[in-house]
Structure formats: C-alpha cells, structure tokens
C-alpha cells in the first residue's frame, strides 16, 4: 500500500514515525488543499514529508503527521457569522490532543508546517487552546503548551485594511481554484471583499503570542497568472513581515509550488529542512520546562480556589465545613493565627474537595 492511499482526506494521518519519537511535526494545508497533494511534487511525485525529510531528521526521532480538513472556499469566506475556521481549529486541537493521549505522548513538543491559509487554521487552534483553563477541558490546552515552532509558507499575516484583505483572498482563490469557477461565482467575489473580519481577528489575537514560539516566515518570489496578469499571490510584506525574533526567507517558487519540492536540490527545501532540524533539536528541553511551568501554574490556580473556599474562617466553621478531614488540632492546644490576628486554617492538598490531579513521574509533572 503506497503512502497516498494511507493518508485520510480528513483528520490526522501518521506518515512517518521514528522509534521512541521525541517530537511531533504536523503539516496543515490551505485553501482547496489536500493532506497529500499539497505537499507532493506534480513533476516527480515526491511527497517530501516522507520521501525527503526523515533522512534530514534521522537523529531527532520525529513523528510526522499530515492533517486534512474540508478546505473549500466557504471555510475562509463565510465571515464571523459562520466561523468555519474556528470549527476546523477546534477539530485540529481536539484531534491532535486525542491522538497524542492515545499514543501516551500528550506533552511531546509540536512543530507545525502550514501552507497559505492553513496557517490561519493553526493560529486559530493555538488561540483556542490557550484560552482553555477550565479543569474539564484543560487537556486541550496541551496543544498550546507543547507547541515549540511554526513554519508558515505563504501565509498572509498582514491585512488590517478590509479592501486589501478582499484583494488578497481573491488572489489566493484565483491561484488554487479553476478559472471557470471564479468567473461563474460573482457572489464569491463579493464575499471575499466583505466577509473577512474573522481572518483579521485571528492575526490580531495571535500577534501577542508570537514571542512564545520559534517562527519562520517563507514567502514566494515567483508570480502566478491572476486575471490575465502575473503577480505574487501573497507578497513579501504580508507573508514575511518584519517582526523581531522571527526568521524570514524567500522561496524561488510561486504560491502553489512553494510547498512542493521535487528533490533535495529544489529551491527552498534546504532552508525549510534545516529550520525543522534546528527546531526538532531544541524543542524537547524547552517544552519540558514549559510543562513544569504549566504544572506549577495549575497548582497555584487550584490552591487559590481552595483558599477562596476554605480561607479566612473560624476554626469551628472550618471544622463544620471540613468535617473529620480537617484533622486534629495541634497537640499544644494552640490555634493557627494569621499575621493580622484573624483566625485561619491551613489547607492541605488532601483537604481540597477537588484535589490536584497530577502526579510526579521521574521528576516530571504529569496530569491525569
């Protein structure tokens, strides 16, 4: 069975896995894309995430996954009233978290590789994942905590002006959709020019997260035919804005082909591969520390909740609330006092009604 037949159109497909993998690399296609075709050379048939990348990353022990979703044009043009990008991003976060839990690697570092508007799906997934603090869904927050780096290939990051967004989206559609479809869809053109607030909001919300991640911007340098003229689909200023601490580089290809490499000598391949190699080497130590930090933060939050419930109360009322769990009084008959003289109790972990559900595993903080 060849690799193409093993890749599902929707959801996650594992396309390569080293023994005892330490890092997950997730490929996410864009508008009208496909989890296999987007990354496959039409000239040589090379599916570079499998045919080229594992050799470069042989010392890093990586698992490579490709994510597929219904990337039709309405996914990106229906506007805030039908936020399908949010639906895609929630599905990506939930599916990836579930896959990593089943494979007993929920804290493994993640590196995303995104083409075009697929970068907006990844951005939205990380915004969504970061926002989850409730204990019942904090397992989905693992995607945000574990993400180390992102490679954006031809993703539009700028577009504060509505008119520019409409023109940019129209160009992307022209690059990836049949001309007859564009010519016969005046309602699509109208939508592209007006219903793009969702895309703007994603870039705005993501901007303050940029310093947390290791990021590379790649922009196309060759134009494509659009409406009878040749132009860049996503120009350098949008695909690779000047941001402190972010790497940027051009790829000698057009928008559709910048994510397809014929072989190891293809323009841009070495730069992309080396970035992934560097990220894969650096990620484990950094993400391990971030999970330790996440564990401490969650402990503080739960402790604060406990203090809100059991704090600043008299011993008698504390005893009524805690029952036998409050434990015996000190043998000298004294009562703990706060610095201001008010009586208080000391709440131990076993006294919290919702105990901390983490354990320490070989010195690492893990959550059940």
């Amino acid at each position: 069975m060849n690799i193409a037949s093993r890749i599902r159109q929707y959801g996650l497909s594992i396309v390569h896995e080293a023994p005892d993998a330490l890092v997950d690399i997730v490929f996410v296609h864009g508008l009208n894309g496909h989890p296999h075709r987007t990354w496959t050379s039409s000239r040589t048939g090379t599916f570079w995430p499998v045919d080229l990348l594992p050799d470069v990353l042989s010392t890093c022990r990586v698992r490579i996954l490709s994510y597929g979703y219904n990337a039709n044009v309405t996914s990106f043009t229906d506007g805030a009233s039908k936020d399908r990008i949010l639906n895609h991003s929630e599905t990506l976060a939930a599916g990836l978290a579930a896959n990593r839990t089943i494979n007993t690697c929920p804290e493994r570092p993640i590196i995303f590789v995104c083409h075009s508007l697929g970068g907006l799906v990844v951005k939205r997934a990380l915004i969504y994942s970061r926002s989850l603090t409730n204990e019942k869904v904090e397992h989905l927050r693992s995607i945000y905590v574990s993400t180390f780096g992102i490679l954006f290939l031809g993703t539009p990051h700028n577009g504060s002006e509505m008119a520019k967004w409409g023109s940019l989206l129209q160009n992307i559609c022209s690059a990836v959709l049949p001309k007859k479809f564009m010519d016969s869809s005046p309602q699509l053109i109208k939508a592209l020019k007006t219903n793009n607030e969702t895309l703007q909001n994603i870039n705005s919300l993501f901007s303050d997260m940029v310093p947390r991640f290791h990021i590379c911007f790649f922009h196309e340098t060759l134009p494509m035919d659009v409406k009878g003229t040749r132009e860049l689909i996503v120009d350098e200023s949008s695909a690779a804005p000047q941001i402190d601490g972010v790497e940027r580089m051009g790829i000698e290809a057009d928008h559709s082909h910048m994510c397809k490499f014929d072989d190891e000598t293809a323009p841009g391949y070495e730069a992309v591969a080396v970035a992934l190699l560097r990220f894969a080497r650096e990620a484990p130590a950094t993400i391990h520390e971030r999970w330790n930090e996440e564990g401490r933060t969650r402990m503080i939050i739960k402790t604060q909740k406990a203090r809100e419930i059991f704090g600043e109360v008299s011993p008698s009322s504390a005893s009524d609330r805690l029952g036998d769990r409050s434990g015996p009084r000190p043998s000298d008959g004294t009562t703990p006092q706060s610095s201001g003289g008010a009586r208080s109790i000391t709440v131990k972990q076993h006294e919290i009604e919702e105990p901390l559900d983490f354990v320490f595993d070989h010195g690492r903080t893990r959550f059940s």
Side-chain angles (χ1 to χ4, degrees):
M1 183 183 296
N2 61 32
I3 186 64
S5 62
R6 292 193 286 111
I7 296 178
R8 297 182 295 170
Q9 182 176 358
Y10 301 136
L12 289 161
S13 298
I14 301 172
V15 299
H16 169 80
E17 185 167 15
D20 301 318
L22 297 176
V23 177
D24 281 348
I25 300 177
V26 184
F27 285 76
V28 181
H29 63 78
L31 177 68
N32 204 42
H34 185 273
H36 181 261
R37 290 195 303 270
T38 290
W39 316 102
T40 301
S41 166
S42 57
R43 189 174 71 85
T44 63
T46 300
F47 179 55
W48 67 273
V50 170
D51 297 332
L52 303 180
L53 200 54
D55 287 343
V56 176
L57 304 179
S58 59
T59 61
C60 297
R61 291 157 56 185
V62 301
R63 186 175 69 143
I64 301 174
L65 306 95
S66 189
Y67 179 69
Y69 59 101
N70 182 8
N72 60 47
V73 66
T74 57
S75 295
F76 297 94
T77 59
D78 273 358
S81 61
K82 296 181 181 178
D83 192 351
R84 298 189 184 182
I85 294 182
L86 175 59
N87 295 338
H88 289 322
S89 65
E90 290 175 341
T91 302
L92 170 59
L96 189 53
N99 176 278
R100 287 155 56 85
T101 298
I102 288 175
N103 288 277
T104 64
C105 55
E107 298 178 9
R108 182 183 291 169
I110 301 170
I111 301 169
F112 286 104
V113 182
C114 325
H115 177 238
S116 192
L117 297 182
L120 299 180
V121 174
V122 169
K123 285 182 174 183
R124 190 66 184 86
L126 291 169
I127 294 167
Y128 166 69
S129 178
R130 180 180 66 168
S131 71
L132 301 174
T133 56
N134 188 289
E135 296 171 3
K136 296 180 179 66
V137 292
E138 65 183 12
H139 60 284
L140 298 176
R141 183 176 161 84
S142 66
I143 304 305
Y144 167 73
V145 179
S146 293
T147 296
F148 177 85
I150 313 168
L151 274 62
F152 292 105
L153 283 71
T155 295
H157 300 285
N158 286 346
S160 57
E161 297 180 27
M162 296 288 281
K164 287 186 177 180
W165 260 117
S167 176
L168 186 148
L169 289 173
Q170 187 173 339
N171 283 352
I172 292 177
C173 287
S174 298
V176 299
L177 296 172
K179 184 177 185 299
K180 61 181 180 180
F181 179 85
M182 295 294 294
D183 292 342
S184 63
S185 303
Q187 73 279 9
L188 170 61
I189 303 303
K190 181 179 179 181
L192 292 173
K193 292 180 177 179
T194 58
N195 293 339
N196 42 55
E197 292 182 9
T198 298
L199 308 186
Q200 293 176 269
N201 291 338
I202 290 172
N203 284 337
S204 177
L205 290 170
F206 187 79
S207 61
D208 70 324
M209 297 170 61
V210 168
R212 178 182 180 87
F213 306 121
H214 288 65
I215 294 175
C216 288
F217 290 155
F218 293 91
H219 62 91
E220 67 222 50
T221 62
L222 300 184
M224 292 186 69
D225 287 324
V226 178
K227 301 186 290 286
T229 62
R230 292 186 63 80
E231 57 184 283
L232 297 174
I233 303 302
V234 183
D235 63 26
E236 179 181 351
S237 64
S238 183
Q242 296 278 359
I243 298 177
D244 187 41
V246 175
E247 300 178 56
R248 52 197 303 278
M249 178 181 171
I251 292 180
E252 292 294 320
D254 62 33
H255 186 75
S256 292
H257 293 89
M258 68 183 303
C259 54
K260 300 172 173 65
F261 301 118
D262 294 343
D263 52 38
E264 296 92 336
T265 65
Y269 171 71
E270 287 188 349
V272 170
V274 167
L276 288 172
L277 176 62
R278 187 173 67 255
F279 287 4
R281 285 174 173 171
E282 298 173 1
T286 298
I287 298 304
H288 173 73
E289 288 305 313
R290 286 185 180 167
W291 271 108
N292 286 340
E293 178 185 353
E294 181 75 3
R296 291 190 292 269
T297 300
R298 292 184 185 182
M299 183 187 299
I300 291 171
I301 292 173
K302 292 186 178 183
T303 301
Q304 289 174 339
K305 288 182 179 179
R307 286 173 176 166
E308 290 175 2
I309 297 172
F310 301 114
E312 301 304 321
V313 294
S314 66
S316 58
S317 61
S319 179
D320 291 339
R321 293 186 186 184
L322 291 172
D324 293 336
R325 290 179 299 165
S326 62
R329 293 178 178 273
S331 58
D332 61 1
T334 61
T335 301
Q337 299 286 326
S338 67
S339 58
R343 293 181 176 181
S344 64
I345 62 170
T346 301
V347 180
K348 297 182 175 61
Q349 181 178 324
H350 69 272
E351 295 172 334
I352 302 174
E353 290 185 1
E354 297 182 5
L356 299 176
D357 49 3
F358 70 91
V359 296
F360 289 93
D361 180 11
H362 301 293
R364 299 183 65 199
T365 305
R366 298 183 60 84
F367 291 82
S368 59

